[in-house]
Amino acid sequence: MASGLACPMAGAAATGAGYASPMLYLASRSPRRNELLARLDIPFRALDLDVPEVRGADEPPVAYVRRVALDKARAGLARVAGDPRAVVLGSDTEVILGDRVYGKPADAADAAAMLRSLAGRSHLVVTAVALVAQAREDVAVVESEVTFAAMAEDEIAAYVASGEPMGKAGAYAIQGGAERWISRLAGSYSGVMGLPLQQTAALLRAFGVGKD
């Protein structure tokens, strides 16, 4: 998209004439984040950005998630630098087990291997939400613990064959077919999906976004 801007399917509305309220931008191409942010009923525009997600050799997992969210928000702010009202939201979600950060699977075999390693165990899902405006930044980090029941090989194969694991951190979507194996969740359901709504709403209020 040449302009780098995409309108969300829901949640957008024009601001009142002459009212210089903050303009919210979402620095994400994720359909799930667009859908989740729209639930807050705050007008926003989505930015089509491609920000590298590469963990440093000695970078702690949670610090990595926090940095990537900030990188996305800062890149978004640079894209809309001509808008003095701009407030840009960036977010990153990763599945973490021990010191391993599970990104998106490279292929079906990689997805199956990830699911085998998660089956019958508990892991962390960490989502960082960063808000960036001119001369102001803030970040909220939300950790949730997810426990998987045991998964048989034929179940893993069938789930991978459905295509749902592709493009998902840890090779699963809690809001999709994987929910049948989630035996316990302690934390934020929307955070595991990709955007913790309670914490996001609190950050937006602090920046004056969505206020009358």
Side-chain angles (χ1 to χ4, degrees), residues 86-163:
V87 175
V88 182
L89 188 155
S91 185
D92 187 52
T93 300
E94 301 291 348
V95 169
I96 299 171
L97 183 60
D99 190 54
R100 179 180 175 184
V101 175
Y102 290 64
K104 301 175 180 68
D107 52 31
D110 192 27
M114 287 184 181
L115 291 166
R116 286 190 201 100
S117 68
L118 295 174
R121 307 175 71 180
S122 295
H123 61 270
L124 285 181
V125 178
V126 178
T127 296
V129 181
L131 275 189
V132 175
Q134 291 184 0
R136 185 176 181 186
E137 295 182 345
D138 201 357
V139 184
V141 178
V142 178
E143 299 185 13
S144 302
E145 184 179 70
V146 178
T147 302
F148 262 64
M151 299 175 69
E153 277 297 316
D154 61 336
E155 292 178 316
I156 291 174
Y159 183 52
V160 172
S162 75

Side-chain angles (χ1 to χ4, degrees), residues 158-173:
Y159 183 52
V160 172
S162 75
E164 186 175 272
M166 307 313 297
K168 312 291 194 308
Y172 75 91

